[in-house]
């Protein structure tokens, strides 16, 4: 295949193709051969897959008497020089310097410079009819499995995805893609500490405490005009129409039920019909005087609820239903008064597909004491749900001494053994939420645990769901890197199904699965 040869009399070093080139005869080169790829003879667009190698090894035959050392060669894609030298050995990667048209196509050529005369030539790929091939970079990093968000040592926030196509084979999760935001949006960055993450098949929304941006709304699908990873806008602009009136202190999204934002001490509840809610300046909060929120873990789309702590210390149960609206009621103490505490530590629900009375578990800190409260609750169509105190247990000595930064959770579906887990420090502990006997360590790690997420096959259809895996992340503060483990937490010793090889360059603070 012969490629099209275009020339321009201009200084070398800038290879943006702006249509200023003209065809002409190359007086010092006899021929250029091998600038072609098999299978492109009938194509008009060449698809290059990210992370795949691309090799082109041309031969330049100069005319007699020509000094070959006068020539330099560069490969240019979308205006960005991707390699220097005549032979191209390149791993396909879209860079922030490349420009693409509305169809996400760009140009690709070999730039030939005569360093003595200043002449610059472009040598394009073309098909068998002489038409220049347009190039598309096809993404291979669609988050089929899930996404993780991490804070980097420089104070910025990034995200990555788990490589794979089948969430039911967690033993195959062996590598990750990291740094996706920078790849498509540099020099823009996400700054601040993460205070909430929503992930749907089309959007990743990262909420931070840094105004005015307060995070980012990122496209995570391959459909539409923009690539996966593209910044659609800031949280400040798209959600608050500028910036929030106070610092974001919490955020959650429960598909099929509700989404919530705690801005300062104002709690805003909204339906889950869209991936984010609009909160304009002066908007009336659903609940005022709220210090902390925590949803039942893990989330399942059946009888979901959350728990809040007021600035007064009162602990309340609440939920949202599009037909009934917002419902909030105090959790009772043993004597019938309202439960009060300094901090909510954990909120779990009995992992049952039943819509009858279930057990809910709320762990709270009161000073240095940690108490585990057990209730039964049944959601009703009236203005109140039925919540009944069952028991409380002092668990201050659990897991080597309970603190407010541990992570408590149950399985996502019913198990023969009713497990309650505690991730604290570098250890994963387990007991039964029925017996509430002292927990035992079932797995220890080299570094402290930062995130644990239980993933089921269909969280929005819990009656037919199965538990697929538990994703667990640890953080090495000295190295500034995180590591991902994939567990079968239901096995006797929490078997590690895969230990992901890729090092994450920061502290993972959230994991979300499809």
């Amino acid at each position: 295949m012969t490629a099209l040869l275009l020339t321009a009399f201009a200084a070398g070093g800038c290879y943006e193709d702006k249509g200023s080139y003209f065809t002409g005869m190359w007086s010092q080169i006899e021929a250029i051969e091998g600038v072609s790829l098999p299978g492109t003879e009938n194509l008009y667009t060449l698809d290059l897959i990210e992370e795949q190698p691309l090799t082109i090894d041309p031969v330049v035959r100069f005319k007699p008497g020509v000094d070959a050392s006068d020539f330099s060669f560069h490969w240019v894609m979308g205006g960005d020089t991707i390699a220097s030298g005549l032979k191209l050995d390149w791993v396909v990667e879209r860079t922030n310097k490349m420009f693409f048209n509305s169809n996400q196509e760009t140009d690709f050529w070999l730039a030939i410079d005569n360093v003595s005369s200043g002449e610059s030539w472009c040598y394009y790929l073309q098909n068998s009819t002489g038409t220049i091939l347009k190039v598309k970079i096809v993404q291979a990093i669609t988050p089929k499995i899930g996404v993780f968000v991490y804070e980097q040592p420089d104070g910025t926030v990034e995200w990555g995805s788990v490589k794979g196509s089948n969430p039911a084979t967690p033993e195959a999760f062996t590598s990750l893609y990291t740094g996706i935001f920078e790849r498509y949006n540099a020099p823009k960055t996400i700054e601040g500490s993460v205070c909430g993450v929503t992930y749907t098949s089309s959007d990743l929304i990262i909420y931070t405490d840094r105004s005015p941006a307060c995070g980012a709304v990122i496209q995570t699908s391959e459909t539409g005009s923009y690539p996966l990873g593209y910044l659609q806008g800031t949280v400040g602009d798209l959600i608050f129409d500028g910036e929030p009136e106070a610092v974001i202190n919490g955020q959650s999204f429960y598909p099929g039920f509700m989404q919530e934002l705690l801005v300062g001490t104002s709690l805003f509840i909204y339906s889950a019909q869209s991936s984010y809610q609009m909160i304009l300046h002066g908007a009336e909060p659903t609940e005022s005087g709220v210090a902390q929120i925590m949803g039942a873990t893990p989330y399942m789309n059946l009888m979901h609820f959350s728990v809040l702590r007021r600035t007064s210390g009162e602990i309340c149960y609440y939920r949202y239903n599009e037909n009934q609206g917002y419902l909030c009621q105090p959790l009772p103490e043993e004597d019938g008064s309202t439960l009060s505490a300094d901090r909510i530590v954990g909120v779990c629900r009995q992992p049952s597909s039943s819509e009858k009375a279930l057990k809910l578990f709320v762990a709270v800190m009161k000073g240095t004491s940690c108490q585990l409260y057990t209730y039964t609750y049944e959601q009703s169509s009236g203005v109140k749900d039925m919540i009944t105190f069952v028991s409380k247990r002092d668990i201050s000595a659990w897991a080597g001494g309970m603190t407010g930064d541990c992570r408590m959770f149950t399985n996502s579906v019913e198990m023969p053994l009713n497990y309650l887990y505690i991730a604290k420090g570098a250890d994963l502990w387990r007991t039964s939420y029925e017996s509430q006997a002292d927990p035992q360590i079932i797995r220890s790690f080299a570094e402290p645990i930062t995130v644990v997420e239980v993933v089921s096959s269909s969280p929005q259809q819990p009656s037919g769901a199965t538990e697929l895996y538990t994703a667990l992340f640890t953080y090495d503060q000295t190295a500034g890197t995180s590591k991902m483990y994939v567990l079968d937490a239901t096995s006797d010793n929490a078997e590690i199904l895969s230990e992901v090889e890729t090092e994450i360059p920061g502290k993972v603070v959230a994991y979300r699965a499809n």
Side-chain angles (χ1 to χ4, degrees):
M1 181 178 70
T2 303
L4 183 64
L5 186 62
L6 302 181
T7 66
F9 293 95
C14 180
Y15 299 105
E16 293 184 6
D17 181 13
K18 298 180 180 178
S20 61
Y21 300 97
F22 63 91
T23 58
M25 297 296 295
W26 184 261
S27 60
Q28 296 175 302
I29 293 177
E30 190 72 45
I32 300 178
E33 301 165 345
V35 186
S36 61
L37 292 170
T40 61
E41 294 82 4
N42 298 316
L43 297 180
Y44 291 92
T45 301
L46 173 63
D47 288 346
L48 300 177
I49 301 175
E50 273 191 329
E51 310 292 337
Q52 296 298 311
L54 175 63
T55 299
I56 302 177
D57 191 7
V59 173
V60 177
R61 290 194 285 114
F62 295 97
K63 291 185 176 181
V66 175
D67 186 356
S69 65
D70 284 344
F71 293 83
S72 66
F73 303 90
H74 304 274
W75 292 92
V76 182
M77 185 172 293
D80 188 15
T81 301
I82 60 173
S84 296
L86 184 58
K87 183 179 179 180
L88 175 65
D89 278 315
W90 180 60
V91 176
V92 177
E93 179 182 10
R94 180 174 177 142
T95 72
N96 63 295
K97 294 181 180 179
M98 293 178 181
F99 57 83
F100 296 81
N101 64 20
S102 59
N103 295 320
Q104 295 301 305
E105 300 168 336
T106 194
D107 295 310
F108 176 40
W109 69 85
L110 171 64
I112 306 170
D113 297 323
N114 186 319
V115 294
S116 295
S117 66
E119 293 174 302
S120 294
W121 294 59
C122 294
Y123 201 92
Y124 288 80
L125 288 176
Q126 62 178 320
N127 62 20
S128 59
T129 65
T131 301
I132 294 176
L133 288 176
K134 290 289 186 180
V135 173
K136 278 187 175 182
I137 295 182
V138 180
Q139 294 176 317
I141 55 175
T142 306
K144 302 288 187 183
I145 302 300
V147 302
F148 51 92
V149 176
Y150 57 97
E151 298 173 349
Q152 301 184 110
D154 66 359
T156 61
V157 177
E158 257 290 3
W159 72 284
S161 72
V162 181
K163 185 177 181 180
S165 58
N166 186 359
T169 57
E171 63 277 0
F173 304 173
T174 57
S175 60
L176 311 171
Y177 293 106
T178 60
I180 297 178
F181 187 82
E182 180 183 16
R183 183 179 303 186
Y184 297 109
N185 301 286
K188 296 176 181 176
T189 58
I190 306 172
E191 298 183 345
S193 297
V194 176
C195 46
V197 173
T198 287
Y199 170 55
T200 68
S201 60
S202 59
D203 297 299
L204 171 66
I205 307 173
I206 301 172
Y207 298 80
T208 75
D209 61 358
R210 187 74 57 85
S211 289
C214 296
V217 181
I218 302 161
Q219 178 164 309
T220 55
S221 70
E222 293 179 288
T223 60
S225 302
Y226 304 115
L228 178 144
Y230 182 84
L231 173 64
Q232 299 181 69
T234 68
V235 166
D237 286 339
L238 294 179
I239 296 177
F240 295 99
D241 193 28
E243 63 180 294
E245 296 178 346
V247 174
I248 301 173
N249 286 319
Q251 179 276 336
S252 296
F253 180 82
Y254 305 104
F257 276 90
M258 66 177 179
Q259 53 185 304
E260 55 188 5
L261 263 175
L262 180 58
V263 182
T265 59
S266 297
L267 178 60
F268 296 87
I269 305 291
Y270 195 66
S271 72
Q273 291 179 340
S274 60
S275 57
Y276 62 86
Q277 61 201 98
M278 285 289 296
I279 302 176
L280 302 179
H281 285 266
E284 287 293 324
T286 309
E287 190 80 49
S288 299
V290 178
Q292 185 187 4
I293 57 175
M294 186 176 294
T297 305
Y299 161 75
M300 293 293 282
N301 193 2
L302 183 69
M303 295 178 71
H304 177 73
F305 68 93
S306 292
V307 170
L308 64 81
R309 177 172 57 87
R310 299 189 189 279
T311 51
S312 62
E314 291 183 337
I315 307 296
C316 297
Y317 154 101
Y318 69 96
R319 64 180 177 88
Y320 176 87
N321 179 286
E322 285 196 47
N323 296 321
Q324 297 174 259
Y326 173 71
L327 182 151
C328 180
Q329 58 195 92
L331 284 177
E333 229 329 336
E334 185 175 18
D335 60 3
S337 62
T338 297
L339 173 62
S340 184
D342 300 322
R343 183 175 179 83
I344 304 168
V345 175
V347 179
C348 307
R349 51 154 283 181
Q350 179 185 355
S352 172
S353 59
S354 170
E355 297 189 53
K356 301 299 181 182
L358 303 179
K359 287 185 177 179
L360 71 91
F361 310 94
V362 179
V364 297
M365 296 293 297
K366 301 180 180 181
T368 59
S369 172
C370 189
Q371 305 289 325
L372 177 63
Y373 286 78
T374 303
Y375 302 92
T376 58
Y377 80 110
E378 184 172 358
Q379 293 183 2
S380 70
S381 57
V383 295
K384 278 193 173 184
D385 290 339
M386 298 296 295
I387 300 177
T388 305
F389 174 89
V390 175
S391 65
K392 75 174 180 179
R393 190 191 193 296
D394 190 321
I395 61 171
S396 303
W398 277 15
M402 291 291 285
T403 56
D405 60 352
C406 72
R407 290 153 187 82
M408 300 183 69
F409 59 99
T410 63
N411 294 104
S412 62
V413 295
E414 286 185 280
M415 306 292 297
L417 297 175
N418 303 304
Y419 288 137
L420 176 68
Y421 301 84
I422 303 170
K424 181 175 174 291
D427 300 317
L428 182 61
W429 302 70
R430 187 170 66 192
T431 185
S432 162
Y433 60 72
E434 294 291 358
S435 69
Q436 297 183 9
D438 290 347
Q440 303 296 313
I441 295 176
I442 55 169
R443 175 69 63 176
S444 294
F445 299 88
E447 306 295 341
I449 301 164
T450 61
V451 170
V452 183
E453 189 78 14
V454 181
V455 179
S456 67
S457 59
S458 53
Q460 297 196 51
Q461 296 177 343
S463 59
T466 58
E467 186 165 311
L468 298 179
Y469 62 92
T470 296
L472 184 145
F473 294 83
T474 62
Y475 180 58
D476 183 340
Q477 186 170 7
T478 302
T481 58
S482 292
K483 187 173 181 62
M484 180 181 182
Y485 298 87
V486 183
L487 309 179
D488 176 6
T490 66
S491 61
D492 289 343
N493 62 344
E495 177 189 358
I496 296 179
L497 301 174
S498 63
E499 188 172 331
V500 180
E501 300 165 355
T502 310
E503 202 171 62
I504 303 169
K507 179 182 179 181
V508 174
V509 293
Y511 178 76
R512 300 288 185 269
N514 279 333

